[in-house]
Amino acid sequence: SWQYPIVGSGGIYGGDGTILTNTVATLTDTLSFIGGNVGIGDSTPHVKLVTKGTPDQSLLTVMHLSNSLIDTTSAIGKGVGFTMGIDDGRYSAKIATVFEGNNPSYLFPALAFYTMYESSEIGTETEKLRISSNGNVGIGITTPTSKLHVQGGTPSTTKTLLIEDSLLNPNFLVRDDGFVGVGTTVQSVGEKMHIEGNLYVGNQTYPSASTIHFAQDFYRMGSVGNGRDFVFYSAYSGVGGGNYGFNFA
């Protein structure tokens, strides 16, 4: 058996100098090497690295990565993470803890997710999603100011938010240029919102009276009375507006 493993150019060696690669070795039931797999707290590791803590009825931490910052007064944007990709470091994605604050207050650790796009070189991952230390989630932005903050690129016809049903039919769309589609992704005549289907406008306090306002109340239309009257108004007719043009009863 061995007590103090030594890492050499050929792999990991036991105290007797024999290489442990592709062999079975256990160090006081806490560190195991089996067939090239490593187990920490696990004597039968089934993948390259398995960590197992002592059974505990709690949220158990079994691994910790750290960055011992020399100067925590300039910690913003720094942190620690790990990459996943091919063995030379290219074509990788990364998950990291990124500090959003400096001492002497708090470091405010956030969780950030990075991917490569149209690149393959080591270190070219860019942040795509962040869960900020205060719980806000940012997509395309590193400083989210709301529970979900989505920032697109240069205003264009790129889909910033798209919700579809199981048949891939669009239910709701928001584009970078501000266009909103409900039940459609098609924009015509330059409108800001296109609704494909029915639109209901109601008033919970007075269900028989509802109003839609246009252009800062220069024009408005709505239902009045028993809910069967539909009236168009214009603010040009005096204080409070007047009844102009149409009255469907």
Side-chain angles (χ1 to χ4, degrees):
S1 64
W2 55 278
Q3 295 295 323
Y4 303 99
I6 300 173
V7 179
S9 59
I12 300 178
Y13 295 80
D16 58 1
T18 58
I19 191 169
L20 301 177
T21 303
N22 297 321
T23 62
V24 177
T26 302
L27 177 62
T28 62
D29 296 325
T30 60
L31 185 61
S32 302
F33 298 85
I34 301 178
N37 295 339
V38 179
I40 301 175
D42 190 328
S43 61
T44 57
H46 61 286
V47 293
K48 289 300 181 182
L49 176 62
V50 176
T51 63
K52 181 187 295 186
T54 303
D56 195 329
Q57 297 298 112
S58 66
L59 181 60
L60 188 63
T61 300
V62 297
M63 181 181 293
H64 179 74
L65 305 177
S66 65
N67 178 357
S68 299
L69 296 174
I70 297 175
D71 182 8
T72 58
T73 61
S74 59
I76 293 179
K78 301 178 176 64
V80 63
F82 62 92
T83 60
M84 299 162 286
I86 64 175
D87 56 6
D88 62 359
R90 296 181 301 122
Y91 296 105
S92 296
K94 181 169 67 175
I95 300 175
T97 290
V98 179
F99 298 120
E100 297 180 325
N102 295 320
N103 277 345
S105 54
Y106 297 97
L107 295 184
F108 298 111
L111 184 62
F113 298 81
Y114 301 73
T115 63
M116 289 182 181
Y117 181 68
E118 295 183 342
S119 176
S120 64
E121 298 306 311
I122 299 173
T124 58
E125 305 93 352
T126 57
E127 184 175 333
K128 303 301 192 301
L129 186 149
R130 175 177 295 208
I131 303 176
S132 195
S133 60
N134 61 7
N136 291 343
V137 176
I139 300 176
I141 183 171
T142 60
T143 55
T145 58
S146 59
K147 289 302 180 185
L148 177 60
H149 190 160
V150 180
Q151 186 177 89
T154 303
S156 65
T157 57
T158 302
K159 299 179 180 68
T160 298
L161 176 63
L162 176 63
I163 300 175
E164 297 177 327
D165 63 19
S166 60
L167 299 178
L168 304 184
N169 297 311
N171 287 330
F172 186 74
L173 165 73
V174 179
R175 281 197 329 222
D176 283 352
D177 60 359
F179 170 71
V180 177
V182 180
T184 182
T185 60
V186 178
Q187 181 186 30
S188 59
V189 202
E191 74 271 21
K192 281 295 185 181
M193 187 174 190
H194 186 163
I195 298 174
E196 187 73 20
N198 298 325
L199 172 65
Y200 173 79
V201 179
N203 186 317
Q204 293 182 350
T205 304
Y206 303 100
S208 62
S210 303
T211 303
I212 302 176
H213 295 261
F214 299 90
Q216 298 180 354
D217 207 26
F218 282 108
Y219 297 97
R220 60 193 175 102
M221 63 182 181
S223 61
V224 296
N226 58 13
R228 293 189 294 272
D229 295 338
F230 193 72
V231 183
F232 286 83
Y233 297 88
S234 171
Y236 288 117
S237 62
V239 178
N243 186 342
Y244 266 72
F246 301 97
N247 185 345
F248 301 99

